[in-house]
Amino acid sequence: MKKLGILAGVGGVALTAILAASTAGSADDSKLEELKAQGFARVAIANEPPYTAVAADGKVSGAAPDVAREIFKRLGVNDIVASISEYGAMIPGLQAGRFDVVTAGLFMKPERCAAVVYSEPVLCDAEAMLVKKGNPKGFKSYEDVAKDATATIGAPGGGTEEKLALTAGVPRDRVIVVPDGQSGLKMLQDGRIDAYSLPVLSINDLVKKANDPN
Ligand code: 6CS
């Protein structure tokens, strides 16, 4: 029986899902009744604007949680309570009952769809690589990073970009797990990685706020 997962997913060229693609049956109704009684849904997020963001005062926002909060309100669940999680830990956390919902812009991928149930898609995005001005190593693909024996690429742990880099042939020791956008930006600026891969929306947000012409 598939664990009822309520996920915000972004499927590469596919689409983002958000919220209960509930399969018919009393199990799902009881889950919703449970959340209504609880008064909030425990959501997993990543803190990767514009998908998810946690302000200094702890306020949670971003495309996925904002939509989830509104949908839950309409379903009779008053609020959401967020925990920051690495992408690779979101589905295991959902399956272990640590979260009620993943609302992080988690791409809709076959192996994930085999483990949990996505909602209807609401957003679409693709992948990007942040590199130094002028793209000194001439990267145009993950394969280009693989072909350059001196090149390293940063990506979120358990994220799709890490998987794409490894699948393209970048050796494990040249795929660097990066915990968040600010760390990835700093590592690139300091020359500790040659590229940093996130979805287009996240990379653009990072560049806009970086205030760094290089
Ligand atoms: O679903 C994923 O794997 C990717 N989704 C987002 C919004 N950021 C990075 C992550 O790897």
Side-chain angles (χ1 to χ4, degrees), residues 10 48 51 87 104-107 112 127 156 158-161 198-199 202:
V10 176
E48 182 188 302
Y51 286 95
Y87 286 100
L106 202 65
F107 284 175
R112 290 171 174 171
E127 295 293 359
T160 301
E161 299 75 22
L198 285 177
S202 308

Side-chain angles (χ1 to χ4, degrees), residues 139-168:
F139 294 150
K140 292 265 188 294
S141 67
Y142 293 105
E143 286 73 17
D144 288 345
V145 178
K147 281 186 285 210
D148 177 340
T150 67
T152 55
I153 182 168
T160 301
E161 299 75 22
E162 179 188 50
K163 188 173 170 70
L164 289 170
L166 292 168
T167 306

Side-chain angles (χ1 to χ4, degrees), residues 108-126:
M108 295 171 79
K109 294 291 178 186
E111 66 277 11
R112 290 171 174 171
C113 293
V116 293
V117 173
Y118 274 87
S119 66
E120 292 303 314
V122 293
L123 195 73
C124 182
D125 201 355

Side-chain angles (χ1 to χ4, degrees), residues 62-187:
D66 286 350
V67 173
R69 187 184 286 111
E70 180 55 30
I71 292 175
F72 271 117
K73 275 204 175 69
R74 298 184 188 188
L75 289 173
V77 182
N78 293 332
D79 202 1
I80 59 172
V81 173
S83 307
I84 293 180
S85 166
E86 191 178 77
Y87 286 100
M90 290 177 180
I91 289 180
L94 186 70
Q95 291 170 325
R98 282 196 298 279
F99 318 121
D100 301 308
V101 190
V102 172
T103 63
L106 202 65
F107 284 175
M108 295 171 79
K109 294 291 178 186
E111 66 277 11
R112 290 171 174 171
C113 293
V116 293
V117 173
Y118 274 87
S119 66
E120 292 303 314
V122 293
L123 195 73
C124 182
D125 201 355
E127 295 293 359
M129 267 191 235
L130 183 63
V131 293
K132 290 218 166 156
K133 189 175 179 69
N135 190 6
K137 285 186 168 265
F139 294 150
K140 292 265 188 294
S141 67
Y142 293 105
E143 286 73 17
D144 288 345
V145 178
K147 281 186 285 210
D148 177 340
T150 67
T152 55
I153 182 168
T160 301
E161 299 75 22
E162 179 188 50
K163 188 173 170 70
L164 289 170
L166 292 168
T167 306
V170 185
R172 178 69 262 184
D173 63 341
R174 292 202 278 123
V175 181
I176 313 302
V177 172
V178 176
D180 56 62
Q182 289 310 317
S183 306
L185 178 66
K186 183 82 173 67
M187 289 168 75

